[in-house]
């Protein structure tokens, strides 16, 4: 099965390759999928909702190494979550909690201790990647993990009415699931009330609108230009639904 990487390490930095090498040292035959390495840096809430939106597309029995971890090296604990037949490995700082809250079946294990050989600032490479590789190989490390009743940090499963991510086109993902918003509603952001369109070609060039993107989230976009630049959008900007 695959090991899926979701991080804020940056696609062009030197960290991602080191994580992949740490996986291959433990599980040389593992398939590594680079889902995203430009998750909103340090933004745990936004990244947690983005990961939850992507989770359903991840093959069952795969292991996800999820790292957005501004508290790395602190007292926050490492955690393994089994949610609907998928493994999620990362810091217990809220990042995995939206996935956990929305799952039908969820189990939690905390890392008993951080290996002494681990870098205090690179748990993604030295702790979480090897652990995910063991899980995918079918070698559950009982000596490293202790079952827990719940996560230490829980954000809950409710939607987040804020901008959580920008793609390179300048489209703005929100933490609102499209299934919760009527297509007859307006989405208010940055002082504008935007109407729904099914797709880009349904509005004139340069016109902003909202739609339900391929991840099932409400997204702010504009036809053939950057909605981020056009509307002056920023990460964590609030959205309001106008019925």
């Amino acid at each position: 099965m695959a090991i899926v990487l979701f991080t804020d390490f940056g696609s062009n930095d030197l960290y991602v390759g080191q994580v992949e090498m740490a996986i291959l040292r433990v599980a040389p035959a593992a398939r590594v999928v680079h889902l995203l390495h430009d998750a909103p840096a340090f933004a745990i809430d936004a990244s947690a909702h983005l990961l939850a939106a992507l989770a359903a597309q991840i093959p069952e029995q795969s292991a996800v190494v999820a790292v957005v971890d501004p508290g790395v090296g602190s007292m926050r604990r490492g955690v393994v979550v089994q949610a609907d037949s998928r493994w999620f490995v990362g810091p217990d700082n809220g990042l995995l909690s939206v996935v956990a809250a929305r799952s039908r079946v969820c189990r939690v294990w905390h890392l008993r201790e951080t290996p002494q050989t681990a870098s205090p600032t690179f748990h993604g490479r030295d702790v979480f990647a090897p652990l995910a590789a063991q899980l995918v190989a079918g070698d559950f490390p009982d000596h490293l993990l202790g079952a827990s009743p719940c996560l230490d940090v829980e954000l809950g499963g409710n939607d987040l009415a804020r901008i959580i991510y920008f793609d390179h086109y300048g489209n703005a993902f929100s933490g609102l699931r499209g299934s919760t918003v009527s297509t007859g509603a307006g989405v208010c952001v940055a002082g504008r009330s935007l109407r729904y369109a099914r797709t880009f070609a349904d509005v004139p060039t340069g016109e902003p609108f909202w739609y339900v993107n391929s991840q099932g989230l409400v997204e702010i976009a504009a036809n053939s230009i950057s909605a981020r630049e056009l509307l002056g959008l920023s990460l964590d900007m609030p959205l309001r639904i106008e019925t």
Side-chain angles (χ1 to χ4, degrees):
M1 291 298 174
I3 296 178
V4 179
L5 305 183
F6 176 95
T7 78
D8 65 350
F9 292 162
S11 300
N12 297 316
D13 252 325
L14 52 83
Y15 306 111
V16 174
Q18 294 181 66
V19 171
E20 185 166 357
M21 288 188 291
I23 290 169
L24 297 178
R25 279 195 291 271
V26 177
R31 294 180 59 191
V32 180
V33 177
H34 296 271
L35 182 60
L36 182 67
H37 293 300
D38 295 296
F42 318 121
I44 295 167
D45 286 13
S47 295
H49 283 267
L50 186 57
L51 177 60
L54 295 168
Q57 301 176 51
I58 297 169
E60 293 187 354
Q61 308 307 324
S62 297
V64 180
V65 178
V67 188
V68 176
D69 194 15
V72 62
S74 69
M75 294 299 291
R76 71 99 186 92
R77 295 198 285 179
V79 68
V80 171
V81 173
Q82 187 181 32
D84 293 340
S85 301
R86 300 172 183 87
W87 299 98
F88 295 84
V89 184
D92 190 344
N93 60 4
L95 180 62
L96 306 182
S97 68
V98 180
V99 165
R102 293 180 183 174
S103 64
R104 297 180 299 276
V105 179
C106 182
R107 299 179 68 189
V108 175
W109 295 263
H110 280 104
L111 195 66
R112 297 183 192 277
E113 61 182 7
T114 302
Q116 293 184 351
T117 55
S119 165
T121 59
F122 204 172
H123 287 184
R125 179 193 67 189
D126 296 341
V127 180
F128 305 136
L131 187 53
Q134 287 181 268
L135 293 171
V136 165
D139 180 21
F140 189 89
D142 291 285
H143 62 293
L144 296 177
L145 299 172
S148 295
C150 61
L151 293 163
D152 292 339
V153 181
E154 296 184 335
L155 303 178
N158 292 336
D159 287 3
L160 185 65
R162 293 183 174 275
I163 293 174
I164 63 170
Y165 178 72
F166 292 99
D167 66 17
H168 79 277
Y169 297 107
N171 302 322
F173 291 39
S174 81
L176 292 170
R177 286 171 288 184
S179 59
T180 69
V181 182
S182 167
T183 57
V187 173
C188 299
V189 62
R192 296 278 298 270
S193 179
L194 306 179
R195 308 308 299 177
Y196 169 82
R198 186 181 62 87
T199 190
F200 295 81
D202 290 345
V203 302
T205 299
E207 182 171 320
F209 64 100
W210 75 268
Y211 78 114
V212 180
N213 68 18
S214 58
Q215 282 70 51
L217 298 174
V218 170
E219 181 174 312
I220 306 302
N223 186 4
S224 301
I225 64 172
S226 167
R228 183 178 193 173
E229 294 181 3
L230 177 68
L231 301 174
L233 305 178
S234 60
L235 192 69
D236 205 38
M237 184 173 282
L239 279 67
R240 180 172 57 84
I241 305 304
E242 182 180 64
T243 57

